[in-house]
Amino acid sequence: AADALAAAKVIAGDVAAIDINMGCPKHFSVSGGMGAALLSNADAACDIVSTLKQNLDLPVTAKIRLLEKREDTVELMQRL
């Protein structure tokens, strides 16, 4: 979350919002714990979103993929 906040602060003055891509399935992203890997680590995903929302004066959004079960998707979205 700290890395995400540091990166967001660098661009905060030049953007209208921060969009976290939790749907990217590319090996580079997933192997680094980013992109779609965040869907398997709800605690980290929620920590990132919460940290950004608490420390930035910008809207924060998250793009995701649907999970295997509809209920799991709804639960994750409610936590985010």
Side-chain angles (χ1 to χ4, degrees):
D3 288 342
L5 179 58
K9 284 183 174 181
V10 170
I11 63 167
D14 298 315
V15 298
I18 301 294
D19 181 46
I20 305 163
N21 185 349
M22 297 184 192
C24 181
K26 294 292 186 182
H27 176 71
F28 171 81
S29 294
V30 175
S31 67
M34 303 173 286
L38 287 169
L39 298 177
S40 300
N41 189 347
D43 289 338
C46 292
D47 188 31
I48 291 168
V49 171
S50 176
T51 297
L52 294 180
K53 286 173 56 178
Q54 290 174 10
N55 292 283
L56 298 173
D57 290 326
L58 292 170
V60 176
T61 64
K63 179 174 76 173
I64 69 157
R65 291 179 174 271
L66 295 174
L67 303 176
E68 292 270 334
K69 296 179 185 173
R70 181 176 188 253
E71 301 82 28
D72 292 341
T73 303
V74 171
E75 180 182 334
L76 177 61
M77 291 299 88
Q78 289 173 335
R79 286 187 63 191
L80 290 175

